[in-house]
Amino acid sequence: MNEPDAQRLTFNTLGKYDWPTMPTDESLKRFGWRVWKYFENDERDPFIADDSLSWANKRRLDYIASPPACAPVTDEMEATFSEWVVDDHPARWLHLVVLPPGDRSGVLQTWAEEYGHPIVEPPPRSALLDRSADFSVPGDDSDSLIVIPRLDSWFLRHQDGLAHVRRLLEQLSVLRRHCLIGCNSWAWQFLNKAVHAGRLVPVGLVPNAFDAVRLEAWLMELAEHDGQSDHVFRLSADGSIIDFNFFAKLSARSLGIPWVAWQLWRRALRVGPGDDRPHQQKFPDEQTMWVSGLDDFALPRQSVNIALLTLHALLIHDSLTADELNLVTPTAEASNLLPSLVEAELVDCADGRYACVPAAYPVIRSALIAAGFPKDVL
């Protein structure tokens, strides 16, 4: 692959992800909060109580922080692969992109559609249960790039789905045609362990973590219209305008993952009391959007081991129906636990498919690692 434009961010080698760290004062504060919970001391009153604030509706959230939550990453992709795509004699015909889980905007698919590259959609899960089915990709007779955006959607932990993935990787490993595979980090960790998938493809590439500077620039740009923002963002805790320190905390809490940070940011935005009555506003000369504390999530206290098995299965497959979950977990109790995981806001459900909530992913990841599950690599 030729050297890309040095002025633009490009993907890093798998294993080189720069995990953001929590600012020291926030680490001390969170430690202090745990001490306070232990001794039950009085808490200082916030500038404006969170329970007096209202959730911003979807229309307003979309105005301030519109989807998709991946535009800067697709820019990184283009900077990384634009020259490789048109290279007739590349050093590698095949590339792997490993992404953190929770990418609901579809980074690879969005990029492929924007630049007109053919996409191989994952087969229906029901079709993957037929081991004799043929899901091979077109061969060397075409010179266009082929993109397989979601290897994690190929029902990896079912023996039939895994057999199809192995055959696919074996085919791609010898194909002399530009090919790009996308896979989330937990699914790739599973494939490496189950079928040594890393031996069939080159070392993967990962996007850069979003540090405070990049996060602030991106989220504030989303809030702008015609070059300026209509809103002033203030912390409900002390009334101050959000600053670099806030974005440093958001970067650390989100693990530098843009779609996690984007969802945490949207969940923190609140409308003040008397938003439509200026005489009741704290700052009547501005359009204030209040930023409450970033959400904390907790695992259910009952059936913790089954909850972790369920969350692990959902991360590996991106999303599953209850019936599919029962096929890839050792106990039917996993699907029985889904309502309580939804209640805890660790999981959500759309069209019968369950998936981990991106904003809860850092807590889920920590819980899985603490319980001894093999951790993902970025």
Side-chain angles (χ1 to χ4, degrees):
M1 185 166 51
N2 294 333
E3 285 296 321
D5 186 342
Q7 301 302 314
R8 302 166 68 189
L9 272 178
T10 56
F11 284 3
N12 284 318
T13 304
L14 182 64
K16 301 293 186 184
Y17 189 78
D18 188 12
W19 298 92
T21 56
M22 186 66 75
T24 304
D25 67 325
E26 179 67 7
S27 298
L28 291 173
K29 186 184 295 182
R30 292 174 72 80
F31 173 74
W33 182 84
R34 288 194 291 271
V35 172
W36 172 81
K37 289 292 289 180
Y38 182 80
F39 290 105
E40 291 289 340
N41 286 334
D42 291 337
E43 187 178 22
R44 191 168 42 181
D45 290 337
F47 183 81
I48 185 167
D50 280 355
D51 58 10
S52 70
L53 304 175
S54 306
W55 293 88
N57 61 37
K58 184 177 183 301
R59 181 178 178 183
R60 193 160 184 179
L61 287 176
D62 285 348
Y63 182 77
I64 295 170
S66 59
C70 67
V73 185
T74 55
D75 292 342
E76 272 187 59
M77 276 204 69
E78 178 60 10
T80 303
F81 295 113
S82 58
E83 295 187 13
W84 168 72
V85 167
V86 296
D87 187 349
D88 293 333
H89 303 285
R92 294 171 177 170
W93 290 99
L94 175 62
H95 273 289
L96 166 72
V97 171
V98 179
L99 296 172
D103 166 31
R104 296 186 176 184
S105 297
V107 168
L108 268 72
Q109 183 143 353
T110 300
W111 174 78
E113 289 172 350
E114 184 173 347
Y115 293 95
H117 302 303
I119 296 170
V120 176
E121 298 284 359
R125 295 261 165 86
S126 57
L128 287 164
L129 295 176
D130 179 2
R131 190 176 288 211
S132 64
D134 181 9
F135 298 117
S136 56
V137 299
D140 300 344
D141 54 345
S142 173
D143 58 0
S144 64
L145 167 68
I146 193 167
V147 179
I148 301 173
R150 288 190 179 275
L151 201 59
D152 35 88
S153 293
W154 284 58
F155 219 3
L156 306 180
R157 218 157 73 176
H158 190 281
Q159 58 182 354
D160 294 329
L162 186 60
H164 286 300
V165 170
R166 184 167 190 167
R167 285 202 293 269
L168 175 70
L169 292 176
E170 287 172 348
Q171 181 199 6
L172 297 179
S173 66
V174 296
L175 200 64
R176 292 183 59 80
R177 174 183 182 182
H178 293 87
C179 183
L180 191 60
I181 305 172
C183 189
N184 85 48
S185 54
W186 286 88
W188 188 246
Q189 188 280 336
F190 170 78
L191 284 173
N192 258 324
K193 190 175 181 64
V195 296
H196 304 292
R199 297 177 184 174
L200 296 171
V201 301
V203 175
L205 300 171
V206 295
N208 293 277
F210 274 56
D211 60 16
V213 173
R214 196 176 181 203
L215 208 51
E216 180 176 12
W218 175 46
L219 293 177
M220 292 299 96
E221 183 181 358
L222 289 181
E224 290 181 355
H225 299 273
D226 297 325
Q228 59 182 2
S229 175
D230 302 333
H231 293 82
V232 176
F233 298 94
R234 293 184 180 273
L235 296 173
S236 61
D238 60 12
S240 64
I241 296 175
I242 57 172
D243 58 11
F244 177 85
N245 197 42
F246 169 82
F247 288 102
K249 294 170 188 173
L250 181 58
S251 172
R253 286 286 299 277
S254 65
L255 308 178
I257 302 168
W259 37 88
V260 174
W262 179 83
Q263 197 175 79
L264 283 169
W265 169 242
R266 284 173 60 108
R267 292 170 68 101
L269 296 177
R270 299 284 190 280
V271 177
D275 188 57
D276 54 351
R277 287 164 285 179
H279 65 282
Q280 294 184 15
Q281 294 178 13
K282 294 278 189 182
F283 301 95
D285 296 330
E286 65 182 39
Q287 191 166 357
T288 308
M289 181 60 73
W290 295 98
V291 181
S292 69
L294 299 175
D295 277 344
D296 274 319
F297 299 86
L299 262 63
R301 295 185 178 181
Q302 305 294 326
S303 306
V304 173
N305 290 336
I306 297 173
L308 291 172
L309 279 172
T310 303
L311 294 168
H312 188 237
L314 292 177
L315 284 180
I316 286 177
H317 295 92
D318 185 52
S319 68
L320 291 167
T321 65
D323 289 339
E324 291 168 352
L325 179 64
N326 286 333
L327 291 175
V328 297
T329 49
T331 169
E333 291 182 66
S335 59
N336 295 339
L337 203 61
L338 285 170
S340 64
L341 295 176
V342 172
E343 177 71 20
E345 298 188 77
L346 298 168
V347 167
D348 58 13
C349 181
D351 300 326
R353 306 198 68 80
Y354 294 86
C356 293
V357 171
Y361 170 63
V363 170
I364 295 171
R365 183 176 189 272
S366 294
L368 290 173
I369 293 172
F373 283 75
K375 69 178 179 181
D376 66 328
V377 176
L378 281 177

